[in-house]
Amino acid sequence: MLGIPTHLAPRVNAWSTVRAFHAAAIGSLGAAAIVLLLYRLADPDVRVVGAVLALIPMLGMIGVHVQFGTWRSAVAFLVVGGVCAWWFAVIVQREIPVGWVTSYLLSLSIIPLVLVGGAGAVAGRVALWSVAGFLVGRGAAALAVAQQGGPSHPLVLAWVTLGFVVALVFFTSRSTARSERVQPELLRSAREEHVSAYRAGVEAEAAAILHDTVLNHLGAIALAPDGPMDRQLARTVDADVAMLTGRAWLAPGTPPGRPEPGAATQAFEQMVDEHRAHGLDVTVSGDPTVLSRLDDEAVTALLRAVGQCLANVHKHAGTDAAEISVFDDGVACTVMVVDDGRGFDESTTGADRMGLRGSVRQRIGRVGGDVQVWSSPGSGTSVMMSVPYPAATGGVPVAGGAPTTGSSAVGADDAEGRP
């Protein structure tokens, strides 16, 4: 029961116990019918068909009670079951002279009445219904014995079953009480873990955004010629400063559940146009409209990662051309950024480099995606980013804003090399 909400744990526990009792009741009726048939095979003169037929209405009433599970169906089962138990006991008492076999069969007919469990979802009610079922069955058996004039039977198995039910209910009640004491601690730990994971994700995204904006802008300013700042770069810096000093980057670009039609495609085209304005020849192939199938956080992460890849191409690849391919395999949206520049060896980059590691790999990983990089010195670079569609996404969502001009600003990275 650990992990089940505290207010539901007792009901779930009692419901599970009652279901198990119902299955055992059906098994008891089946065992009684098998014993009768085996006895009939051993002694052909014994007429036990009537006793087997007496079990059928009881079996049907178990199905009715399982279906409805109300106190009325429980009472109906006890009434029908009591009559069937009496009918069964009359035939068994008359046809089977062996005392211990008779006692065993009578117990098997009473056990379903004990195990019905009634309609209660509370453990105490289950025990009370079981006691009531035992009394009904015991009374029916005693009446049959009195009518046939035979000796009484101890019905040991029925008594053992009743004791087991009461003990089990008592044990599960204590377990429920213990779980209710432990449950708040588990919920508190789970909540703290969730908050910690969310905070770590936000911090990582903040670090990636600072890398994509401030560091890139500083590099671009350092490499710019003397004189007034380029107007496009100035507008980009102003927009990024406004974004960093606000909270826009913490929220998705569109209201959850109400995405604007074509918003993801427009954001993609805007990001590509910004890089083209900075002198990078970007060729787009595939179908960018599939981006709209992603949720807001995934679109944001993917576009920011693609923007960082293009910024790396502009700064480090030694080429002014790159190609973006967008395609859909039905499970995930995959975007590949390819250039024919100088390439690099990822294994030689330092652990403190944030570009490829923080702004691409970790960012895509936070929305459940995957990144693969193929590159070597002199052979260009290919970065493939795959993000599953919402039904298959398994990562911890991290708040992230809509792609801004700063997330795709062209500028210097941390150091020599793409990361």
Side-chain angles (χ1 to χ4, degrees), residues 31 102 144 151 182 186 189-190 212 215 229 257 259 261 265 272 279 300 347 356 370 407-409 418:
T102 301
V182 174
L186 292 176
S189 299
D212 298 348
L215 295 183
M229 182 184 296
T265 305
V272 171
T300 298
S347 63
L356 185 59
D370 179 67
S407 65
S408 58
R418 205 167 305 272

Side-chain angles (χ1 to χ4, degrees), residues 219-230:
I221 293 172
L223 294 176
D226 295 337
M229 182 184 296
D230 178 77

